[in-house]
Amino acid sequence: MLEVGPGQAYAAPSAAAAVARDGDVVRIAAGDYRGDVARWVANRLTICGRGGRARLFADGRSAQGKAIWVIAGNDVVVDGVDFHDTKVPDRNGAGIRTEQAGALTIRHCGFYDNENGILGGRPGATLTIEYSEFARNGHGDGYSHNLYVNDVDRLVVRASVFREARIGHQLKSRARESIVEHSYLMDGPDGRSSYLADFPDGGRVLLRGNLLHKGPKADNPRAIAFGAEGLKGDGDHLLTMVHNTLVVDHPGAHFLTVRAGAHAVTLSANLFAGRSDTELVTGGFASHRVERSAQMLLPLTALPNAGRLDAPDFWPQGLPAERLALKEPVDPAYIVDAPRPMTLRRLAGPAGFSGALQSAP
C-alpha cells in the first residue's frame, strides 16, 4: 500500500509511480495536485482516490510529452481521479495515454478540458470505462476527442457521460469490438462536437440503453458514424442498436451514417426524435438491408428537455406511454435503464417500451 498526499510517505503521485511494484495499491488523498505527471509501468496496480477525488492539473506539464499519466503496465485499475487541462505541442495531450498490452479499467474518474480525455490503445489490449465523465476535451481542430481509442481488442463503456467535445467526437473507437451501454452522449444547446459516436473502422459495435443528443450548433450533422474511414480487418462489421434514445436537433442531420460493405445493421426498440427531414441511415448502406423491429420515430418537440446538460430529460412529453409499448420484449438482458447520468435503475420487469428509458426519470 503506497499512501500519497500531504504528510504521507509520497507527497505526489509521481513519487509513488517511481517506486510502485506489481500488485501494489496506490491511494491518493483527495485534493489538488498541480503540475505533477507520471508514467506507470508496474502491472496489476490499483490507483485510487482516498477520501474523495484526487484532482490532477497539468499546469503546462506532461509525461513524455503525451499526458498527465502514461499507463504502460497491464491490468491496471484507476478509480476516483480527475484529469484537467493537458496541452502539448502536438495538440494531442491526454488526461491518460494508454500504452498497456493488457487490461485498463477506469472507474469514477473525470476528464476535463484536455486535448484528449483518454487516448491510445494497441492490439490485444482492453479498455473498460465505468461511471466516468468526459467534458470539453479536444484541441478544437477535429483531430482530438473526448475519448479516442485506437485498435484495441475490446472497449466497454458503461454508465458514463460524454459532453461538449470541442469540435472532435464525443466518443471515437477503432476497437475490434465496442460496447457502449447506459451512457449519455450530449452536445447540449451550444456544443460543437462532430459525431456523437464514431466507429471509423467498423468492427462489432453494440449500443444499448444510451441517451444521445446532437445539438443545433454541432460541427457535423451526423450523429453516429460506422466505417467512415473504411471497414478494416477481416472480422465481421456489425452495428447493433437496442433500446437507445437518440435526439437530433440539427438542420439536415442524419441519425446514422453507415458505409456500404457493412455486414449487418440491426435496430431494435430504439426511439429516434428529430426534424421532419432527418434521415435514418445514409452513407451507402442500403436502407432495405437494415433489420428493424419496434422502432419509434417522434418529432423533436416530443423531447424538449433532452438537450439540458444540467438535467437532461429523455422521457417523451405529452405522449401516452402506450404509444411506446412493445408487443413483446426484444432484449431479455435489458434489466436496467439510466434515468440520470451515471445512475442505473433496476427495472421491475422486462423492458416494455421503445427507447432507453422505461419510465419517467
Side-chain angles (χ1 to χ4, degrees):
M1 186 82 69
L2 306 182
E3 298 286 356
V4 176
Q8 302 298 320
Y10 304 95
S14 60
V19 300
R21 296 183 177 184
D22 292 357
D24 280 352
V25 175
V26 181
R27 302 201 309 174
I28 306 172
D32 294 351
Y33 298 83
R34 309 204 70 104
D36 185 74
V37 300
R39 185 170 189 262
W40 301 86
V41 297
N43 302 313
R44 302 187 307 281
L45 292 176
T46 298
I47 311 168
C48 56
R50 176 174 58 83
R53 291 290 185 92
R55 297 180 296 271
L56 311 183
F57 294 84
D59 283 0
R61 300 194 64 210
S62 64
Q64 299 181 304
K66 298 175 181 178
I68 293 178
W69 282 1
V70 175
I71 297 182
N74 297 324
D75 307 322
V76 172
V77 176
V78 180
D79 192 333
V81 182
D82 291 346
F83 301 82
H84 295 259
D85 302 324
T86 316
K87 309 288 189 296
V88 300
D90 69 2
R91 302 178 178 180
N92 248 344
I96 290 178
R97 175 73 73 93
T98 71
E99 296 183 348
Q100 85 287 350
L104 173 61
T105 300
I106 307 294
R107 295 193 184 107
H108 307 110
C109 290
F111 299 84
Y112 306 103
D113 304 298
N114 306 284
E115 289 172 324
N116 288 281
I118 297 176
L119 170 64
R122 54 191 289 190
T126 63
L127 174 61
T128 300
I129 298 169
E130 299 177 325
Y131 299 96
S132 295
E133 183 175 33
F134 297 72
R136 302 180 305 276
N137 298 289
H139 178 78
D141 56 5
Y143 297 103
S144 48
H145 314 282
N146 261 336
L147 174 67
Y148 189 178
V149 179
N150 285 322
D151 49 353
V152 302
D153 280 7
R154 194 171 196 238
L155 168 69
V156 177
V157 176
R158 297 190 186 98
S160 294
V161 176
F162 301 82
R163 60 181 176 88
E164 301 171 285
R166 290 188 174 132
I167 304 300
H169 310 315
Q170 306 288 4
L171 181 157
K172 180 170 184 172
S173 171
R174 299 184 187 274
R176 294 176 62 187
E177 180 179 25
S178 300
I179 299 172
V180 183
E181 298 182 303
H182 307 300
S183 294
Y184 282 68
L185 290 80
M186 299 187 61
D187 289 333
D190 299 311
R192 294 287 311 280
S193 83
S194 185
Y195 303 136
L196 295 176
D198 181 28
F199 307 96
D201 301 341
R204 299 187 305 277
V205 174
L206 170 62
L207 303 178
R208 179 164 58 187
N210 301 294
L211 303 106
L212 307 100
H213 174 265
K214 173 162 278 296
K217 298 181 181 179
D219 192 60
N220 193 310
R222 298 168 179 86
I224 297 172
F226 184 84
E229 298 179 28
L231 301 169
K232 300 177 182 178
D234 56 4
D236 292 332
H237 297 287
L238 311 172
L239 173 60
T240 302
M241 296 180 61
V242 58
H243 278 297
N244 300 280
T245 299
L246 173 54
V247 179
V248 173
D249 181 9
H250 193 288
H254 316 298
F255 290 111
L256 312 175
T257 180
V258 181
R259 195 179 190 92
H263 295 112
V265 175
T266 303
L267 307 177
S268 302
N270 299 290
L271 192 159
F272 297 101
R275 299 167 186 252
S276 59
D277 60 346
T278 305
E279 296 186 68
L280 180 60
V281 180
T282 62
F285 190 85
S287 294
H288 72 271
R289 292 186 55 211
V290 178
E291 301 175 29
R292 314 181 198 195
S293 62
Q295 298 300 108
M296 177 67 68
L297 180 62
L298 296 178
L300 187 61
T301 53
L303 289 100
N305 298 314
R308 287 188 54 181
L309 293 172
D310 59 337
D313 184 355
F314 282 83
W315 185 250
Q317 304 296 309
L319 186 73
E322 292 75 16
R323 278 197 59 189
L324 303 175
L326 303 172
K327 293 182 179 178
E328 59 184 19
V330 301
D331 184 358
Y334 198 74
I335 58 175
V336 298
D337 67 359
R340 295 180 299 281
M342 292 187 282
T343 299
L344 297 184
R345 172 176 61 181
R346 191 166 187 87
L347 306 181
F353 299 111
S354 293
L357 298 183
Q358 298 302 297
S359 61

